[in-house]
Amino acid sequence: GNSVTQMEGPVTLSEEAFLTINCTYTATGYPSLFWYVQYPGEGLQLLLKATKADDKGSNKGFEATYRKETTSFHLEKGSVQVSDSAVYFCALSRSNYQLIWGAGTKLIIKP
Amino acid sequence: DGGITQSPKYLFRKEGQNVTLSCEQNLNHDAMYWYRQDPGQGLRLIYYSQIVNDFQKGDIAEGYSVSREKKESFPLTVTSAQKNPTAFYLCASSIDGAGNTIYFGEGSWLTVV
């Protein structure tokens, strides 16, 4: 069946460090892939998405590339800020009714 | 401003009571959803609705009920049959169910006391 696996958190980094949060998936066909972010006490916001292989989604300095050969969609940012502290969710879908969510990765950025 | 409004933000319920969480959207979206989030866990789908007067069970529908009488409204009732209702509840919507972006409300915290 379809599934999404994220690296366990929390991930703790110093400000201006390079960030990678790993996300791998299993699915048949060509699902769309998403990263959502959840700030403390709030709902989720779409961070970026990719709809086909080799697509790169980007937003607010974050990037993720849809790698079909490695079934991955790792989230990266070159220089993190304290304000990036949040929980990040990887998800895949072929339709919104079949969204599959990862467990989330908590990111803590220390000044 | 367009968006999804959930209310109340915080709700306390006594055991044996039903409570209803409100969700309103002014995005003119056809599809709406309710998710449950427990600490340290991902999201689990409770119910979804593709169109007015239609809704379907998600993965954890037992103990919950919904209605979709208007396009902009999708209230969730947590009934006394839900054995462990304390959680963070998220309402969401999308233009349709064809893989388009889902937009979330700010969530409602329900605590059983």
Side-chain angles (χ1 to χ4, degrees), chain B residues 1-69:
Chain B
D1 287 346
I4 301 171
T5 302
Q6 289 187 238
S7 64
K9 178 74 172 178
Y10 299 96
L11 183 62
F12 296 88
R13 187 195 93 173
K14 293 182 180 179
E15 286 194 20
Q17 286 182 336
N18 293 352
V19 293
T20 297
L21 306 180
S22 170
C23 178
E24 303 279 330
Q25 54 98 359
N26 60 5
L27 300 169
N28 200 34
H29 286 172
D30 282 323
M32 296 188 74
Y33 317 81
W34 274 105
Y35 285 93
R36 171 178 171 144
Q37 185 179 24
D38 293 282
Q41 297 187 30
L43 278 67
R44 293 184 289 170
L45 182 64
I46 303 172
Y47 269 97
Y48 65 91
S49 169
Q50 301 179 49
I51 200 166
V52 175
N53 293 321
D54 179 72
F55 50 83
Q56 305 294 330
K57 292 182 178 180
D59 300 320
I60 57 164
E62 185 175 352
Y64 300 97
S65 66
V66 294
S67 63
R68 187 83 187 277
E69 297 176 1

Side-chain angles (χ1 to χ4, degrees), chain A residues 2-66:
Chain A
N2 299 332
S3 67
V4 174
T5 302
Q6 289 182 235
M7 64 190 294
E8 285 192 28
V11 173
T12 303
L13 296 172
S14 297
E15 207 165 19
E16 299 183 3
F18 184 87
L19 168 71
T20 300
I21 299 179
N22 290 339
C23 172
T24 57
Y25 68 91
T26 58
T28 55
Y30 300 91
S32 295
L33 299 172
F34 305 84
W35 277 102
Y36 279 82
V37 59
Q38 184 178 33
Y39 298 102
E42 298 183 9
L44 279 70
Q45 304 171 26
L46 177 67
L47 182 59
L48 53 85
K49 70 177 183 180
T51 57
K52 60 183 187 295
D54 299 325
D55 266 2
K56 177 185 283 187
S58 62
N59 186 27
K60 299 180 181 179
F62 291 89
E63 293 182 341
T65 301
Y66 189 159

